[in-house]
Amino acid sequence: MKEHKGVTALLRAAEQERRCAIGDGGAIYHALRRRVKALELASPYPNLFADVRYWDSLNPEECSLHMIRALAELHPQWTFAGLSAACVYGYQHSYALHDGSVIIASPKGSGHGSAEQLRRLYMHVVPRQKVRGIAVTSPSRTLIDCAAMPFSNALAIYDSALRAGHVAIADIETLMPTTNCDTASVAKLLKHADPRRENGGESWTYASIIELGYAEPSLQVEFTNPDNPGMPYRVDFCWRLADGRIIVAEYDGMAKYVDASNPHRASLQAKLNYERRREHSLTEQGVSTIMHLFFEDVRTTARLEARLSEAGVPKIR
């Protein structure tokens, strides 16, 4: 379709601000709609637009944030809540939680809004504050609302908020009695939330281990590094068993090592050598089993259970 200078300028300005473009309700809006029908533009929410190639380059969290920033400009009275607020705060979470919807707090009722993608969470009193110019619910209220997610997804958000220093467990405990929420789910998350887990992958892995009924591991346990005593080796998860065995598990996300023919082979070899020295040192310090867990292991329940069982991690229920 022939270039429309007004549309192009609108889209580029929006991209620079990391948000969706907003239709003007006039001639430019109709030009935008024609380009949506021609599959040149995406329209993830009524009156919001983005170049298809640009939109497809974004991950699900970035897509949500682009919508939120545009809607915050259109509706400054809105207060974003739940997963939408967690995105604005920058709390780590699984991309799988994103379904194209936007969540706002509402003192008038819950359910969907006028747009199919808009979800409302009822709150008699909305604890509102601004983060980077966007109105969101308070960290405590955001975490309480995120407790409605599956435990393995919500724990990453709780850990991330604690790591950021935005909230303390006591803050959430204080708010709970005045909030209509699933208190059992919130209490379970508060019991296990821990800022020592360094990323969302570790939180997800820990939650999956607990959900399968295995013994709770110790976190970020340190072992001596003979090559650099001031920088001890730290392991993600550690079980010290009554019979003297020590089991260590590391969450490595996607596979660490790629084809050795890649142009960074020297760097890859250095990493491999470091891992060998590290594992040798851990073994010398009594570690009997070192288990590397990858994304694919944690994603599949049966596969994770098999890895834990094979390593000898005790099951307590």
Side-chain angles (χ1 to χ4, degrees):
M1 188 173 289
K2 185 178 178 182
E3 181 181 5
H4 187 296
K5 291 184 178 179
V7 166
T8 299
L10 188 72
L11 292 171
R12 297 300 166 260
E15 288 174 14
Q16 288 178 359
E17 296 177 12
R18 303 292 290 170
R19 61 169 176 81
C20 293
I22 303 168
D24 65 348
I28 287 184
Y29 171 79
H30 294 294
L32 289 163
R33 291 303 310 170
R34 287 194 297 271
R35 281 156 179 77
V36 171
K37 290 181 180 178
L39 305 181
E40 293 178 9
L41 300 184
S43 181
Y45 190 98
N47 204 32
L48 300 188
F49 305 91
D51 178 85
V52 165
R53 287 171 295 183
Y54 175 75
W55 189 253
D56 288 345
S57 73
L58 304 175
N59 64 45
E61 181 181 10
E62 290 169 337
C63 288
S64 289
L65 283 169
H66 274 60
M67 294 165 62
I68 290 166
R69 292 183 188 114
L71 290 170
E73 187 171 311
L74 271 174
H75 305 283
Q77 76 278 15
W78 283 5
T79 303
F80 294 89
L83 180 62
S84 294
C87 286
V88 176
Y89 280 116
Y91 299 153
Q92 292 191 5
H93 59 275
S94 169
Y95 290 163
L97 292 170
H98 293 274
D99 59 5
S101 63
V102 174
I103 307 167
I104 62 171
S106 173
K108 296 181 179 179
S110 60
H112 287 274
S114 54
E116 181 184 352
Q117 301 90 333
L118 182 63
R119 288 176 49 207
R120 299 179 186 271
L121 285 180
Y122 172 72
M123 296 178 198
H124 177 61
V125 177
V126 178
R128 174 184 168 108
Q129 63 185 62
K130 284 204 170 184
V131 176
R132 289 181 284 278
I134 299 173
V136 292
T137 51
S138 67
S140 296
R141 179 67 208 223
T142 299
L143 295 189
I144 285 176
D145 292 327
C146 287
M149 302 172 185
F151 174 69
S152 59
N153 293 131
L155 188 64
I157 296 175
Y158 275 61
D159 288 349
S160 185
L162 291 174
R163 276 198 307 274
H166 290 177
V167 67
I169 287 175
D171 299 330
I172 303 168
E173 291 174 334
T174 301
L175 184 61
M176 278 174 62
T178 63
T179 305
N180 182 21
C181 65
D182 183 344
T183 55
S185 293
V186 176
K188 181 179 179 180
L189 285 158
L190 293 180
K191 175 185 176 183
H192 292 286
D194 196 312
R196 289 178 296 168
R197 287 185 285 270
E198 296 178 340
N199 55 61
E202 288 183 21
S203 301
W204 174 47
T205 302
Y206 173 92
S208 299
I209 291 169
I210 298 302
E211 289 283 83
L212 286 173
Y214 284 90
E216 184 178 344
S218 298
L219 305 175
Q220 302 298 327
V221 174
E222 294 187 350
F223 291 85
T224 300
N225 177 356
D227 295 330
N228 188 351
M231 294 287 289
Y233 294 130
R234 287 194 302 169
V235 300
D236 296 339
F237 308 112
C238 181
W239 293 266
R240 295 181 184 272
L241 307 187
D243 61 7
R245 285 181 296 148
I246 301 175
I247 302 170
V248 160
E250 307 263 43
Y251 176 72
D252 293 326
M254 297 300 183
K256 275 186 178 179
Y257 309 122
V258 293
D259 191 322
S261 64
N262 78 70
H264 303 292
R265 185 172 181 177
S267 175
L268 172 63
Q269 189 60 52
K271 290 179 182 178
L272 287 167
N273 291 338
Y274 171 81
E275 287 297 327
R276 289 194 190 101
R277 292 196 306 273
R278 183 178 188 271
E279 295 198 0
H280 177 72
S281 180
L282 293 179
T283 301
E284 286 194 325
Q285 293 177 66
V287 174
S288 51
T289 303
I290 300 172
M291 175 175 38
H292 291 275
L293 295 172
F294 299 102
F295 173 85
E296 296 80 5
D297 296 319
V298 184
R299 180 180 59 182
T300 307
T301 299
R303 188 162 160 174
L304 178 59
E305 181 135 32
R307 294 293 312 277
L308 295 168
S309 178
E310 182 183 359
V313 178
K315 202 164 191 181
I316 57 176
R317 58 175 174 80

